[in-house]
């Protein structure tokens, strides 16, 4: 039987902060076992086996659902202080906490071994009282947490507490409702037109940025490879090829050094392709600096120097991040980095609207990269956006089409063919002759086999990159070391390429104009080195060559050597502190071994004329990319649009599905793996399938800091200033005047809203007054979005601390609530589908008993041993 007393109010003479601990909070925090070794996931026992797991005094295990989460988090955080500083997407290294400091956790979780007990001398008073609750017939007793290990290596079994959530649920307070009621039908039509205008601007600017990257990369790469080719031709006769090797390595290292310096020291979040970060942003996780203007500038410049530096990277992946940054900036009508406000699009200054435009920007980036507007929409749906509707689909497709057309139009003018519009994307796979390269039903098993090979190679690529990333996190976390590593990879790439060219005897007759930089080296007159043709070129052009070069252009030994070397170079390169993507390297690796596969088929029986190497190069490219990133629907359409042929739609789909199934059997996709390595609280589409045994009462955070509807200013300032309770949402409760009794939940208010109210001094001298100095409007909150000032920058005098603040007008009076007996999948579905930041858990009397946040749900996932609970740590 559960004994829940009525919550009462206890007032102190100081009138300071009131912390409301719900009924049963003491039991929930004290009924726990010693924290497991941090860095490991705790297996969840079935509910039946948990019910009578034993009592604390008897030495048995306590019910896992009621473990002391604060103890576990503190143990993990304390142990993490002994680990080398971790390189994060934010690029900000955490300072180790002092031994006496508690790790600030979620709303309702503390960092110590037990909840901090406040005394009257600390000028704090509590709202409500503590009581013991008999849960599953288990007695609550205190138990000291076991000391944590001295060294805990970082891995994906941790969940970081440094990431905050975005709020994709509109706060329907009185200000919001009054504004919406004032907007008539014409005004709503105007807002909708503005949305379409913003999407058009996103497409145009994304296309222009793609044009700039393509033109600069093309000219710098042509200049570099021409210098290298001329020197090799010159020193082949005079036996000075060692100088050519040194020159090539120096050029590579120089370009890579510039690209790595600006990323490592200016904006670290611009490293990589940016796709994992954008996925997290659209999922509802706030990644610091991910959509800043400075990030866009560093991203564009960094990818130019990375590609020109000869790394095994592509410029297509970063276009997705670039498009997202452009969308986030345009939709807000201002630049917080430049401190310029154009006073336009103010209605869209909130997380909900910004998310939709970022989805359009990501799709426009894919469209500009591959000339695939439909593929861009599907990519944003499959890999990015967590929330979707029909109107958003049309706007995203419109932005993608505008992006492709802008890129096509500008590049056609640049190439001197303004009327042809022959450049729909940064990479164009070229047209495949449907009659010459048609496939038969007998080839379908071969395509499936290629999908299996792609899945295995993709899993190997991801596994190797996982261990390499772990090594970088532990040992290469300083910016200077990151730059040195990037320069080393650039020099090694040049050295490997030179050795492969020097040792290759694959000489082919010189074609008309298909080879950009034909290198003769030791070949007879009128012939060129085919290995040099693949290496002395940008990866995009090498992919097209492997697709369309005639049969006999490459020897099997050349393709095999190139595949092996480029596989390990690409694996080493991904994760460097440079702006680069993995799309093109994956396509190039797959095209190489796919063409080799086709050549081997032709050599078995010369009568198999259908075994065209170009066709199998296309299937190999799809298999390899699908095996690494695990995309199916969007990648199928992207490949179809990039090749301009629907003929290969079915075999490409078969290859991608097979590669994904085989790859998922071994390891996760590359993007999901890096999200886990950063310990991001990412919510997948569904809750773990075996999580129905858990209830909201077992996963919620307790105790919860609550505020009264009419609260003292000093109390609010103390709550917001407390470094050990960096909460972002506070349930608002109604209490009976001059009584300790709490009526129940009446709303929810955010930290950002309270800060704006304190900044504008929305106070009254007494609780019975309803007049304020100036009535706030919704515009005041939008002007402060998204960089709300810290509480330390707001000065509140001692007299103002004694004033009262009425939260009725500003709180959300209808927050989403959940019964404490609801299952975890139900809470997960409600939380994720609505894009919530806080989900209040109440009992049958509408009393607040806990709060469910993103980290409470993301802690549970399906592991090899069943349902696992991740440890929380301030990584």
């Amino acid at each position: 039987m559960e004994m829940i007393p009525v919550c009462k109010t206890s007032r102190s003479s100081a009138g300071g902060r009131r912390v409301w601990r719900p009924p049963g909070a003491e039991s929930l925090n004290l009924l726990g076992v010693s924290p497991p070794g941090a860095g490991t996931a705790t297996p969840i026992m079935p509910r039946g086996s948990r019910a009578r797991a034993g009592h604390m005094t008897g030495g048995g295990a306590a019910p896992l659902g009621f473990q002391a989460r604060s103890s576990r988090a503190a143990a993990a955080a304390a142990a993490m202080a002994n680990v080398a500083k971790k390189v994060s997407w934010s690029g900000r290294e955490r300072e180790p906490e002092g031994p006496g400091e508690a790790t600030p956790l979620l709303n309702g979780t503390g960092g110590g071994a037990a909840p901090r007990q406040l005394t009257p001398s600390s000028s704090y008073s509590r709202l409500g009282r503590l009581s013991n609750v008999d849960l599953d017939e288990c007695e609550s007793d205190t138990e000291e947490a076991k000391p944590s290990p001295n060294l805990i290596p970082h891995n994906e079994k941790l969940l970081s507490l440094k990431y905050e959530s975005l709020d994709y649920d509109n706060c329907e307070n009185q200000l919001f409702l009054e504004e919406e009621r004032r907007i008539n039908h014409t005004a709503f039509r105007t807002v909708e037109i503005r949305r379409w205008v913003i999407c058009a601007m996103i497409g145009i600017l994304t296309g222009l940025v793609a044009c700039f990257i393509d033109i600069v990369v093309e000219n710098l790469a042509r200049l570099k490879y021409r210098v290298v080719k001329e020197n090799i031709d010159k020193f082949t006769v005079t036996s000075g090829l060692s100088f050519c090797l040194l020159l090539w390595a120096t050029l590579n290292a120089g370009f890579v050094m510039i690209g790595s310096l600006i990323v490592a020291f200016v904006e670290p979040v611009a490293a990589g392709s940016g796709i994992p970060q954008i996925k997290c942003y659209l999922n509802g996780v706030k990644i610091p600096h991910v959509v800043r203007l400075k990030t866009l500038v560093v991203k564009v410049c960094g990818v130019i120097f990375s590609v020109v530096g000869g790394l095994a990277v592509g410029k297509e992946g970063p276009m997705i991040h670039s498009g997202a940054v452009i969308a986030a900036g345009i939709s807000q009508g201002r630049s917080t980095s430049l401190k310029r406000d154009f006073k336009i699009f103010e209605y869209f200054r909130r997380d909900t609207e910004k998310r939709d435009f970022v989805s359009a920007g990501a799709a426009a980036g894919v469209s500009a990269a591959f000339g695939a507007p439909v593929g861009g929409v599907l990519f944003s749906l499959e890999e990015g956006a967590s929330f979707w509707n029909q109107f958003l689909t049309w706007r995203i497709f419109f932005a993608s089409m505008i992006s492709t057309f802008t890129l096509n139009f500008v590049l056609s003018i640049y190439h001197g063919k303004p009327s042809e519009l022959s450049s729909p994307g940064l990479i164009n796979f070229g047209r495949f002759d449907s009659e010459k390269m048609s496939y038969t039903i007998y080839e379908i098993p071969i395509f499936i086999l290629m999908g299996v090979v792609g899945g295995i190679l993709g899993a190997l690529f991801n596994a190797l990159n996982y261990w390499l990333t772990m090594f970088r996190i532990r040992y290469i976390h300083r910016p200077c070391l990151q730059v040195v590593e990037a320069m080393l990879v650039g020099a090694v790439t040049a050295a490997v390429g030179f050795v492969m060219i020097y040792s290759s005897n694959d000489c082919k007759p010189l074609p008309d104009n298909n080879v950009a930089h034909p290198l003769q080296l030791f070949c007879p007159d009128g012939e060129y080195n085919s290995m040099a043709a693949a290496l002395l070129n940008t990866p995009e052009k090498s992919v097209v060559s492997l697709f369309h070069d005639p049969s006999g252009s490459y020897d099997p030994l050349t393709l095999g050597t190139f595949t092996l070397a480029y596989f390990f170079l690409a694996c080493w390169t991904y994760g460097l502190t440079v702006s680069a993507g993995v799309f093109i390297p994956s396509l190039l690796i797959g095209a190489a071994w796919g063409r080799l596969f086709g050549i081997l088929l032709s050599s078995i029986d010369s009568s198999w004329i259908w075994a065209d190497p170009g066709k199998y190069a296309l299937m190999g490219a799809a298999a390899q990319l699908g095996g690494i990133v695990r995309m199916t629907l969007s990648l199928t359409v992207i490949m179809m649009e990039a090749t301009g042929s629907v003929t290969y739609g079915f075999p490409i789909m078969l290859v991608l599905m097979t590669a994904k199934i085989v790859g998922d059997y071994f390891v996760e996709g590359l993007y999901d793996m890096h999200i886990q390595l950063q310990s991001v609280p990412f919510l997948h589409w569904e809750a773990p399938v075996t999580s129905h045994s858990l209830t909201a009462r077992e996963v919620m955070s307790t105790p919860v800091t609550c505020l009264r509807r009419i609260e003292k200013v000093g109390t609010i300032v103390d709550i917001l200033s407390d470094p050990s309770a960096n909460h972002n949402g506070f349930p608002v409760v109604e209490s009976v005047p001059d009584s300790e009794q709490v009526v129940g939940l009446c709303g929810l208010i955010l930290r950002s809203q309270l800060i704006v109210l304190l900044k504008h001094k929305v106070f009254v001298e007494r609780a019975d007054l309803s007049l304020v100095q100036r009535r706030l409007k919704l515009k005041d909150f939008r002007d402060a979005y998204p960089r709300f000032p810290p509480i330390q920058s707001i000065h509140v005098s001692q007299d103002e601390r004694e004033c009262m603040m009425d939260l009725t007008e500003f709180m959300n009076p209808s927050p989403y609530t959940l019964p404490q007996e609801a299952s975890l999948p139900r809470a997960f579905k409600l939380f994720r589908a609505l894009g919530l930041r806080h989900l209040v858990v109440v009992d049958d009397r509408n009393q607040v008993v806990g709060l469910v946040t993103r980290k409470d749900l993301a802690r549970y996932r399906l592991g090899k041993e069943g349902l696992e609970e991740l440890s929380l740590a301030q990584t």
Side-chain angles (χ1 to χ4, degrees), residues 150 578 585 614 626 723-724 736 741 748 801:
N150 293 328
V578 294
S724 64
V736 178
Q741 183 176 0
L748 180 75
R801 290 179 59 91

Side-chain angles (χ1 to χ4, degrees), residues 4-55:
I4 301 182
V6 177
C7 295
K8 298 182 180 181
T9 306
S10 59
R11 300 181 183 270
S12 66
S13 58
R17 171 185 172 188
R18 285 187 286 267
V19 179
W20 183 52
R21 299 177 184 268
E26 187 175 46
S27 299
L28 292 177
N29 283 274
L30 299 181
L31 274 173
V33 295
S34 302
T40 60
T42 306
I44 304 295
M45 293 182 295
R47 196 170 192 178
S49 60
R50 274 203 316 269
R52 295 184 174 272
H55 300 294

Side-chain angles (χ1 to χ4, degrees), residues 5 20-27 29 115 117 126 128-132 703:
W20 183 52
R21 299 177 184 268
E26 187 175 46
S27 299
N29 283 274
Q117 301 297 325
R126 298 194 193 102
R129 302 176 62 87
L130 296 179
S131 64
N132 292 335

Side-chain angles (χ1 to χ4, degrees), residues 462-482:
N462 293 354
L464 293 176
N465 190 261
Y466 169 83
W467 294 111
L468 187 60
T469 304
M470 290 291 297
F471 178 84
R472 287 181 176 132
I473 288 174
R474 295 176 184 174
Y475 303 109
I476 312 179
H477 51 271
R478 296 181 180 177
C480 55
L481 294 178
Q482 295 169 350

Side-chain angles (χ1 to χ4, degrees), residues 291-337:
V291 288
R292 297 270 182 93
L293 177 62
K294 184 169 66 173
T295 304
L296 175 64
V297 175
V298 173
K299 196 82 176 181
V300 171
C301 298
V303 73
I304 290 174
F305 288 110
S306 301
V307 176
V308 176
L311 294 176
V313 299
K315 58 181 181 289
E316 283 70 22
M319 277 307 306
I320 300 170
H321 191 182
S322 301
V325 178
I326 291 171
I330 292 178
S331 63
Q332 303 304 291
R334 66 178 176 184
S335 172
T336 52
S337 300

